[in-house]
Amino acid sequence: MRKRIYLCLAHMSGNEMKFIQEAFDSNWVAPLGPNVNGFEEELRAFVGASEVVALASGTSAVHLALLDCGVGPGDEVLVQSFTFCASSHPVTYLGAAPVFVDSEKDTWNMDPALLEEAIKDRIVKTGRKPKAIIPVALYGMPYRIDKIMEVADKYGIPIIEDAAEGFGSRFDGKVLGTFGRFGVLSFNGNKMITTSGGGALICPGKATRDRIMWLATQAREAYPYYQHEAIGYNYRLSNVCAGIGRGQMTVIEDHLAHHRHVQKLYEELLADVEGISVHKAPDARFDSNFWLCVMTLDEGLKIAGQENAYAEKITTAVGGAAGVVHVSGGVHTDCEPNQNVEAMRVFLDAAGIEARPLWKPMHKQPVYKDSPAYLNGVSEGLFKVGMCLPAGPLVTDDDVRYIVEKIKEAIVR
Ligand SMILES: *Cc1c(COP(=O)(O)O)cnc(C)c1O
């Protein structure tokens, strides 16, 4: 029997155990120690930034970046709508409101023209400028950061790059996360590299780095006892987890090469399959890590079993994620992938292949139903036709050929 093929499983392929063993042997098991320092140094060298703070998650990195941009109750933050919820949820932690901006069709990321429209309109409607802009490197694809920076600079609004999925992606040769005031990285279990759970914030300089570090360690004052004059957070990365990260950093280049190779294979093998398109970089400046490879299905493409798509109620979270999920009342929402996409997902699942819908745009999420949104239909349109395919370090060439074979098999001509 063929082993089940997942989107992007972690692969302990470096010398992770050596670093973990060192942490245990030295008893540096708290969120400080040689692995945390070493991991930060390796991250700095890799992204080409002078300051990086290792944190407990990518979500906490977004949270601290927002805090340092002065975001507070009543403020607004412009967020790419087409994203995972970790880009926008921290805005609400601060009592601020996300304002969602739709995508442009080449990169699937924040539309710079729509961004400017949104800024102008928020100024008219609220009399104030939004406090930050969060573009997202969806599935690793770089956003049009040159154009986004032009708009941001024109209005003097800081950019927090959500490069959680874009670790190692580059725009015009420069690593994502190093353009804006802040860059967010994630080392969750399914990202380009993992620390089991973790993240990092790329900071613009020593003073900012020190403030972020202070906030991430409960904001303590210099006294012989615990003195607090501000609210802080327990957001540092553990020295044990940082050991995993150091091991992973020894194979990051292999991971990058692998994801790009898998993307190339999909592009080749699906090139002449009518009704299916692979999401590609618009031009050579957009150097994606292809964290996940993505295809779209023409609406008219007929997939086996599509008349029964959504017939059954789902009782688990996408990807069988850990934790507790609410079992919803129904099988349909007002915005869902087309029936042929759901049928393809079920068909591949039965063949032992994990495939997933794209992120459902935040402006279509009930929890954000009252948030302002500046829309052009792109993210909603893509959500209905798109599908993520396996691309992780454990996915072999043979797996990709098998996946493509099954995709073709699912199509009813
Ligand atoms: C994974 C991810 C994050 C951060 O997630 P953590 O799980 O908290 O590390 C942030 N934004 C996006 C777009 C992500 O995919």
Side-chain angles (χ1 to χ4, degrees):
M1 257 270 288
R2 187 175 269 277
K3 270 220 299 248
R4 190 168 166 80
I5 308 168
Y6 292 93
L7 287 183
C8 188
L9 283 186
H11 186 210
M12 295 298 107
S13 41
N15 42 0
E16 291 84 3
M17 274 313 286
K18 174 179 99 75
F19 293 107
I20 294 172
Q21 193 63 52
E22 279 173 19
F24 278 47
D25 291 345
S26 63
N27 210 29
W28 282 106
V29 292
L32 78 167
N35 280 339
V36 181
N37 299 337
F39 185 46
E40 283 176 341
E41 195 176 313
E42 286 146 19
L43 287 173
R44 282 198 298 271
F46 179 76
V47 300
S50 63
E51 301 294 345
V52 177
V53 179
L55 297 166
S57 65
T59 309
S60 54
V62 176
H63 189 181
L64 294 184
L66 289 164
L67 249 175
D68 203 61
C69 288
V71 175
D75 288 333
E76 290 188 338
V77 175
L78 295 152
V79 186
Q80 179 169 320
S81 183
F82 207 9
T83 187
F84 176 58
C85 64
S87 309
S88 54
H89 280 4
V91 175
T92 70
Y93 301 170
L94 292 163
V99 172
F100 294 111
V101 179
D102 215 329
S103 294
E104 47 93 21
K105 60 183 183 356
D106 293 334
T107 63
W108 298 12
N109 295 324
M110 187 179 270
D111 182 331
L114 207 50
L115 169 67
E116 177 155 24
E117 225 177 283
I119 295 172
K120 284 185 182 158
D121 195 52
R122 294 328 291 167
I123 293 173
V124 169
K125 291 218 164 82
T126 69
R128 300 165 58 200
K129 276 191 313 194
K131 278 286 180 69
I133 299 168
I134 308 185
V136 183
L138 212 61
Y139 308 116
M141 186 65 72
Y143 21 74
R144 290 191 183 277
I145 190 63
D146 53 341
K147 294 284 180 337
I148 291 171
M149 277 179 19
E150 259 177 54
V151 175
D153 290 348
K154 184 167 163 188
Y155 294 91
I157 304 173
I159 295 172
I160 299 168
E161 290 177 71
D162 184 343
E165 300 173 8
F167 185 51
S169 297
R170 289 165 186 267
F171 178 81
D172 248 347
K174 194 169 161 193
V175 175
L176 292 193
T178 59
F179 291 88
R181 179 178 299 179
F182 288 107
V184 170
L185 302 175
S186 168
F187 311 117
N188 200 353
N190 62 351
K191 294 282 162 73
M192 283 303 284
I193 62 160
T194 186
T195 55
S196 91
L201 191 60
I202 302 170
C203 300
K206 175 85 167 58
T208 310
R209 175 260 180 208
D210 288 350
R211 269 198 315 275
I212 295 295
M213 189 73 86
W214 177 72
L215 286 168
T217 51
Q218 301 289 28
R220 293 162 303 169
E221 304 298 326
Y223 288 91
Y225 41 86
Y226 281 79
Q227 172 86 1
H228 301 287
E229 297 174 11
I231 297 295
Y233 301 83
N234 181 11
Y235 278 173
R236 262 311 243 169
L237 182 67
S238 116
N239 194 60
V240 178
C241 292
I244 303 174
R246 295 192 74 182
Q248 293 269 287
M249 282 306 283
T250 65
V251 291
I252 177 62
E253 293 296 347
D254 302 337
H255 281 208
L256 282 165
H258 176 82
H259 284 250
R260 286 169 176 148
H261 169 74
V262 167
Q263 166 75 14
K264 215 160 136 258
L265 258 186
Y266 279 122
E267 285 184 19
E268 276 168 32
L269 297 173
L270 287 167
D272 53 3
V273 180
E274 214 182 306
I276 290 195
S277 312
V278 176
H279 179 36
K280 296 179 196 164
D283 63 60
R285 288 178 306 162
F286 297 84
D287 185 11
S288 177
N289 63 14
F290 292 107
W291 169 55
L292 295 183
C293 301
V294 188
M295 66 171 176
T296 55
L297 278 67
D298 286 359
E299 210 181 340
L301 189 71
K302 193 150 189 296
I303 302 300
Q306 74 179 52
E307 46 304 329
N308 300 321
Y310 295 111
E312 256 178 73
K313 197 148 107 182
I314 302 284
T315 55
T316 59
V318 159
V324 170
V325 291
H326 285 157
V327 178
S328 72
V331 294
H332 289 286
T333 67
D334 68 340
C335 174
E336 62 190 18
N338 289 335
Q339 283 194 312
N340 63 350
V341 172
E342 173 59 8
M344 178 66 86
R345 186 192 69 77
V346 170
F347 189 97
L348 294 178
D349 184 62
I353 301 160
E354 182 191 26
R356 285 191 204 171
L358 308 188
W359 302 126
K360 180 166 175 170
M362 288 304 126
H363 73 271
K364 294 304 292 182
Q365 300 287 0
V367 73
Y368 288 123
K369 67 180 185 318
D370 298 325
S371 303
Y374 293 81
L375 306 173
N376 55 19
V378 169
S379 63
E380 212 175 320
L382 287 167
F383 173 62
K384 288 178 180 164
V385 300
M387 168 143 281
C388 299
L389 296 170
L394 295 172
V395 177
T396 65
D397 286 14
D398 184 56
D399 288 338
V400 176
R401 280 189 211 98
Y402 171 74
I403 293 164
V404 170
E405 205 177 287
K406 289 292 157 188
I407 290 171
K408 288 180 178 169
E409 219 176 284
I411 300 171
V412 182
R413 294 283 184 198

